[in-house]
Amino acid sequence: MNDILVAAEPLRHFVETALINEGVDVERAKQASATLSYADLAGLDTHGVLNLMSLYVKGLSEGVISRTAEIEVLRDQGAVVTLDAHQMLGLNAGHYAMQMAMDKAKQYGVGIACVRNSTHFGAAGYYAQMALAEDMIGMAMTNLGSDPVAHAMGSRQPILGTNPISFAAPVANMPNFLLDMSTTVCASGKIKQANARNADVSGDWLCNDKGEPVSNPEAYFNGTAYLPGLGGWKKSSGGHKGFGLNLMVEILSGVLAGADVPMVGQKGKTNEVGHFFLVMNIPSFMPASEFKQTMAQMLDGYLSVPTFDGFDTLQYAGQPDNDNRAERAERGIPIPVTIFKELNEYAASHQMMPLEEL
Ligand SMILES: NC(=O)c1ccc[n+]([C@@H]2O[C@H](COP(=O)([O-])OP(=O)(O)OC[C@H]3O[C@@H](n4cnc5c(N)ncnc54)[C@H](O)[C@@H]3O)[C@@H](O)[C@H]2O)c1
């Protein structure tokens, strides 16, 4: 695969140092590096250090992401808060807003934070899982602003963002449930990764204009293959349900948050991304121990169901990430050679310690 293994903590520290170099305040850099490190450890490779240079450092140095913006409370009514991130790092805006939603949930039983005028916030699951330690259920979503990249059921033009949903619920004595997925067949980063590695893309990640699968990722970049919404091109494979889910995310994190949305367009000079966070405080509904025990019983029941010949045993969302975390904490994070080189070129030109291969 042409990957290089790097230890998790030096990699996180590298991210923190690079962001400080770019003028980000130390506390914010530390927090943002924790979010990227979370994705790297969980195996969400498209949303970890891979994006450090191409999204965050580039955005900061071009002024598309603000180094100094403060988050502004636009409305604060009971359990609901609406925030303006003023184009700060989405990694910081997301953390701040999720914490506010959790504080509200503690007080009111539920808490909701909407964020407008933000930028790319990384892996949605990072924010949802923040709720777990407090015996809360967390949800996080984001749109892509007015920059659609995916197609709905044969639409001739891209009209959808990859609009991820994440949902986290605590479980007793087993890995927590943590669903973290784009509402397109895959995150667009997976197409970029395959292209960088000269590898084919799998299954139905890309389709041509007849709805037939395309395996060459280059076709996506030269405009002859398209990324479909979750469920694919056709109604028979559930494409209409993926389209609906994608729009649900767009409505909550785009329209309701007051961010830019596809088909309406950009309000200001820059693309204004929106996020949506929902938190439920379990003790406001039932004792947390009862909830977590029933979760464990239910999930354990699923895991014990046999599968047809040739199928893997069942897993639930959050389990693979948990396994990755344990393995990668011990063996290191695999980084594509091209990214390793890119990071160390940056280190050399910014008087930073280079990353070392394990
Ligand atoms: N910030 C953004 O704009 C943006 C946009 C799109 C995606 N993303 C992020 O990209 C990441 C990857 O998204 P994706 O759609 O490619 O995810 P994916 O297809 O890799 O699915 C990941 C989810 O599926 C679960 N899972 C994996 N294997 C499983 C199995 N065998 N059985 C049951 N569950 C299983 C995982 O626990 C995880 O919850 C996510 O972190 C997402 O938040 C971010």
Side-chain angles (χ1 to χ4, degrees):
M1 267 262 182
N2 276 342
D3 285 347
I4 288 180
L5 285 174
V6 177
E9 176 48 28
L11 185 59
R12 189 211 59 74
H13 187 255
F14 186 99
V15 172
E16 181 187 326
T17 313
L19 291 175
I20 292 170
N21 253 324
E22 293 302 320
V24 176
D25 155 84
V26 174
E27 270 321 297
R28 288 186 187 186
K30 212 178 265 303
Q31 190 277 306
S33 70
T35 311
L36 296 195
S37 178
Y38 163 86
D40 286 326
L41 280 164
L44 304 163
D45 295 337
T46 50
H47 284 76
V49 71
L50 213 73
N51 292 334
L52 176 63
M53 293 298 148
S54 61
L55 277 182
Y56 305 115
V57 167
K58 184 168 185 277
L60 286 161
S61 61
E62 289 176 355
V64 177
I65 299 175
S66 166
R67 296 175 166 92
T68 52
E70 293 295 333
I71 208 149
E72 181 188 358
V73 176
L74 297 176
R75 274 194 190 77
D76 189 348
Q77 294 182 358
V80 179
V81 65
T82 302
L83 305 164
D84 186 327
H86 292 292
Q87 295 285 310
M88 76 195 306
L89 266 175
L91 302 162
N92 295 132
H95 187 92
Y96 184 86
M98 182 63 185
Q99 191 58 57
M100 275 193 96
M102 287 166 60
D103 293 345
K104 296 258 181 212
K106 199 146 258 173
Q107 192 178 354
Y108 297 104
V110 295
I112 295 178
C114 283
V115 186
R116 66 176 64 163
N117 199 5
S118 187
T119 58
H120 192 270
F121 81 176
Y126 174 81
Y127 309 99
Q129 61 84 39
M130 283 170 63
L132 295 170
E134 306 276 342
D135 284 341
M136 293 174 174
I137 294 171
M139 287 187 84
M141 305 174 197
T142 186
N143 81 345
L144 268 59
S146 60
D147 275 350
V149 295
H151 294 244
M153 299 183 75
S155 67
R156 277 188 185 271
Q157 65 185 86
I159 56 174
L160 310 176
T162 46
N163 296 8
I165 299 181
S166 69
F167 177 96
V171 184
N173 305 319
M174 289 169 68
N176 292 311
F177 182 87
L178 179 41
L179 178 65
D180 182 14
M181 48 165 247
S182 52
T183 49
T184 43
V185 287
C186 66
S188 54
K190 284 187 174 155
I191 315 287
K192 289 179 202 148
Q193 261 188 327
N195 199 40
R197 288 176 168 141
N198 278 327
D200 282 351
V201 295
S202 69
D204 297 330
W205 283 1
L206 292 176
C207 289
N208 64 17
D209 57 7
K210 297 184 181 62
E212 296 155 348
V214 172
S215 58
N216 181 358
E218 244 179 63
Y220 173 73
F221 297 101
N222 69 28
T224 55
Y226 314 98
L227 174 63
L230 192 64
W233 236 219
K234 296 177 184 160
K235 191 169 177 184
S236 56
S237 59
H240 58 304
K241 298 184 230 184
F243 186 22
L245 264 184
N246 187 288
L247 290 189
M248 182 191 87
V249 177
E250 196 62 61
I251 292 163
L252 293 175
S253 53
V255 180
L256 187 65
D260 285 342
V261 294
M263 319 310 287
V264 175
Q266 211 168 287
K267 292 195 285 274
K269 284 193 195 130
T270 49
N271 186 33
E272 299 184 9
V273 171
H275 319 306
F276 176 84
F277 304 92
L278 167 63
V279 180
M280 286 160 266
N281 183 42
I282 296 169
S284 305
F285 296 78
M286 59 156 58
S289 56
E290 183 186 336
F291 177 88
K292 292 192 276 190
Q293 284 298 342
T294 310
M295 285 291 292
Q297 260 182 300
M298 177 180 81
L299 294 172
D300 201 39
Y302 288 131
L303 297 182
S304 63
V305 173
T307 49
F308 291 119
D309 290 346
F311 284 76
D312 293 336
T313 50
L314 291 182
Q315 289 188 300
Y316 62 85
Q319 265 189 308
D321 321 44
N322 203 58
D323 295 346
N324 284 332
R325 211 168 285 121
E327 191 195 314
R328 290 176 171 210
E330 198 181 312
R331 293 205 193 151
I333 314 275
I335 305 182
V337 174
T338 49
I339 299 296
F340 184 82
K341 280 191 186 152
E342 180 188 46
L343 295 172
N344 274 349
E345 277 165 20
Y346 179 86
S349 58
H350 290 79
Q351 290 81 48
M352 277 172 60
M353 294 290 285
L355 282 173
E356 284 178 17
E357 185 173 358
L358 271 180

